[in-house]
Amino acid sequence: GENVEQHPSTLSVQEGDSAVIKCTYSDSASNYFPWYKQELGKRPQLIIDIRSNVGEKKDQRIAVTLNKTAKHFSLHITETQPEDSAVYFCAATYLGSNTGKLIFGQGTTLQVKP
Amino acid sequence: DAGVIQSPRHEVTEMGQEVTLRCKPISGHNSLFWYRQTMMRGLELLIYFNNNVPIDDSGMPEDRFSAKMPNASFSTLKIQPSEPRDSAVYFCASSNGRKLFFGSGTQLSVL
């Protein structure tokens, strides 16, 4: 079955710097890769996703890149702000299964220092 | 749509008591998932349903845990008897086959 590895487990950056979180997946059939942000005491919320037919997707200060050959995908946050502090989860799945079951990474705790 | 609705938001109970967590998925979603989140183990998938049928319950830790989905708009997760190590946040989530949306979670404390 699918396995998703995420690192680093913790990341501390200065406000204004960039942050990068990396994930690798094992199942070459996986074709959908969402990222979730979980603020303290809140639910995980989808912030960006990418399908395997594109290599990069951007939404304002966040972007996700995908390397299908290497089975890597990454989240990039530019010009970080204190409100970006949260736990970030990557995930992978095969959309053809139609169940929506996601395999999550272990999570990265991002701290943005003002 | 109100999103995925879970109840209660907080539950404090004594060891040995039965606990029932409830979930209403987003209307039209065909899959429902129960997750448990702790500091030590992160997000664990306990069980999921597709079209109200349990598909994979391999994440259910013990026979003390059971889940049902009697119809497309309601699911329960029951723990009987509860133990202190069951203390965690339990999330319900639903999907339309692609995007997964989480409920607000139930914070369970077993004393």
Side-chain angles (χ1 to χ4, degrees):
Chain A
E2 176 65 281
N3 183 51
V4 177
E5 297 288 332
Q6 181 174 348
H7 41 92
S9 57
T10 60
L11 180 59
S12 182
V13 300
Q14 288 295 135
E15 182 177 358
D17 288 350
S18 295
V20 180
I21 302 170
K22 298 181 179 181
C23 290
T24 61
Y25 61 100
S26 60
D27 189 349
S28 56
S30 290
N31 58 4
Y32 175 64
F33 307 92
W35 286 86
Y36 285 78
K37 174 184 180 182
Q38 186 179 25
E39 297 176 355
L40 190 63
K42 302 280 185 68
R43 75 187 82 185
Q45 291 197 294
L46 177 67
I47 56 171
I48 193 168
D49 56 10
I50 190 170
R51 291 200 184 198
S52 59
N53 58 347
V54 297
E56 184 175 4
K57 185 176 178 180
K58 287 184 180 179
D59 182 3
Q60 299 182 344
R61 295 186 297 108
I62 61 174
V64 58
T65 58
L66 172 65
N67 182 328
K68 286 188 294 183
T69 304
K71 290 190 273 189
H72 290 171
F73 57 113
S74 301
L75 179 71
H76 304 252
I77 306 174
T78 58
E79 301 172 24
T80 53
Q81 301 168 4
E83 52 264 38
D84 295 329
S85 296
V87 179
Y88 291 82
F89 293 95
C90 63
T93 192
Y94 171 60
L95 288 179
S97 71
N98 202 36
T99 65
K101 177 185 175 183
L102 296 178
I103 304 301
F104 283 95
Q106 298 86 344
T108 296
T109 300
L110 173 63
Q111 181 187 30
V112 180
K113 292 187 256 187
Chain B
D1 200 317
V4 179
I5 300 173
Q6 288 187 248
S7 64
R9 287 297 309 276
H10 303 274
E11 177 79 31
V12 181
T13 191
E14 292 187 345
M15 183 174 63
Q17 296 298 306
E18 177 179 297
V19 175
T20 299
L21 311 181
R22 296 173 176 79
C23 176
K24 177 177 168 43
I26 293 172
S27 177
H29 280 194
N30 62 333
S31 294
L32 182 140
F33 303 79
W34 283 100
Y35 288 89
R36 178 171 68 177
Q37 187 174 37
T38 61
M39 289 292 291
M40 292 297 293
R41 294 174 174 263
L43 264 175
E44 299 176 272
L45 177 62
L46 301 177
I47 184 171
Y48 79 97
F49 297 83
N50 185 243
N51 295 322
N52 311 339
V53 176
I55 302 299
D56 183 357
D57 65 354
S58 60
M60 297 285 261
E62 300 171 34
D63 291 346
R64 298 184 296 106
F65 286 70
S66 63
K68 293 182 180 179
M69 190 165 187
N71 57 62
S73 58
F74 184 66
S75 177
T76 59
L77 178 68
K78 186 177 293 186
I79 308 172
Q80 166 64 14
S82 58
E83 297 183 3
R85 59 196 167 117
D86 301 330
S87 298
V89 179
Y90 290 81
F91 285 105
C92 175
S94 71
S95 173
N96 56 1
R98 186 172 73 131
K99 294 184 187 290
L100 185 73
F101 295 89
F102 285 84
S104 298
T106 296
Q107 174 77 59
L108 173 64
S109 298
V110 183
L111 306 177

